Amino acid sequence: MNLYLRYFDRETLVHNVDDAIAFLCDIDEIGMNPMLEADIREYAVSDVYYPKRYKIRPRVYFIIIKTEAETMLDFKEKRALHTMPTNDERNRLATSAISKLNEDLFGWYEGTIDFKRVLQVPGTGKFQYRDTHFVAQCKANSGIDCYNRIVEHLRQRVDSRSQFPSAKGKNFKFHYLGMCK
């Protein structure tokens, strides 16, 4: 991963963090210090691909952009951009998750659900929502059946004002454990 740096009309494309820090040290206005150096090193090794902007003084910044480009010309002509998943890829992943949820496969499932449970505060007598993590193993025909069984079980045991997430969301996960005996 290479780094593109720009401060007004001064710019460079470097192949490692040490070269980037050396470039910034040559610019007196930036005032390189150990905290700034550590932050730049942390940004370089992170998974973040967004450009990073550092404030020098009011309305004056320098930027660092991660790129796959090998030369300044490649970078300027946008030949080596880091590609984010397209809408089609995201839709395909979501569709496969939904189809996995509806796949008929009888057996034991372990379902995990995070929901908002209504509980009474002992001292005041008022009610509040509490994030609650619940794990259960049940016999089911599919992932959605596992979800329905868990929610049905919980609705009989918690306050009716409790809020349950969608089976398609990130707050419900399930694993197929195997066939019944």
Side-chain angles (χ1 to χ4, degrees):
M1 184 64 51
N2 299 322
L3 299 169
Y4 169 80
L5 294 95
R6 186 177 76 221
Y7 179 71
F8 288 109
D9 60 342
R10 296 182 71 178
E11 63 184 359
T12 188
L13 183 77
V14 296
H15 302 289
N16 60 47
V17 182
D18 294 327
D19 291 344
I21 291 170
F23 170 78
L24 294 171
C25 286
D26 290 342
I27 303 172
D28 293 332
E29 294 176 18
I30 290 179
M32 182 58 74
N33 59 45
M35 285 178 32
L36 180 60
E37 181 179 342
D39 195 54
I40 292 170
R41 288 184 189 282
E42 184 180 319
Y43 170 72
V45 298
S46 71
D47 292 335
V48 176
Y49 282 92
Y50 296 106
K52 182 97 175 190
R53 176 171 88 154
Y54 292 93
K55 188 173 189 175
I56 304 302
R57 59 181 187 274
R59 295 184 297 239
V60 176
Y61 300 88
F62 74 88
I63 64 165
I64 300 177
I65 300 173
K66 288 184 180 180
T67 181
E68 311 256 334
E70 290 297 320
T71 65
M72 187 67 82
L73 182 63
D74 289 346
F75 178 77
K76 294 287 184 171
E77 293 181 357
K78 299 180 180 171
R79 291 186 193 155
L81 295 174
H82 178 74
T83 57
M84 298 300 282
T86 63
N87 283 340
D88 291 340
E89 290 172 344
R90 280 190 218 120
N91 289 341
R92 189 171 14 92
L93 290 172
T95 303
S96 69
I98 292 171
S99 65
K100 191 175 178 184
L101 187 66
N102 293 322
E103 181 182 331
D104 280 337
L105 186 58
F106 184 73
W108 282 95
Y109 286 84
E110 180 176 88
T112 304
I113 190 167
D114 296 319
F115 68 102
K116 301 280 187 189
R117 183 177 185 178
V118 173
L119 292 172
Q120 186 176 20
V121 179
T124 63
K126 294 182 179 181
F127 292 89
Q128 68 180 23
Y129 286 102
R130 290 265 173 97
D131 290 331
T132 306
H133 181 78
F134 184 79
V135 179
Q137 293 179 353
C138 62
K139 253 189 233 184
N141 294 320
S142 63
I144 192 71
D145 188 32
C146 173
Y147 170 82
N148 291 334
R149 288 173 187 256
I150 290 172
V151 169
E152 181 183 322
H153 172 80
L154 289 171
R155 284 193 197 276
Q156 295 171 2
R157 288 162 178 80
V158 298
D159 192 296
S160 63
R161 294 172 288 182
S162 297
Q163 298 175 356
F164 297 99
S166 166
K168 299 173 189 171
K170 64 180 181 179
N171 291 324
F172 173 69
K173 295 178 182 66
F174 69 95
H175 301 286
Y176 179 70
L177 299 175
M179 293 296 294
C180 301
K181 291 186 179 182

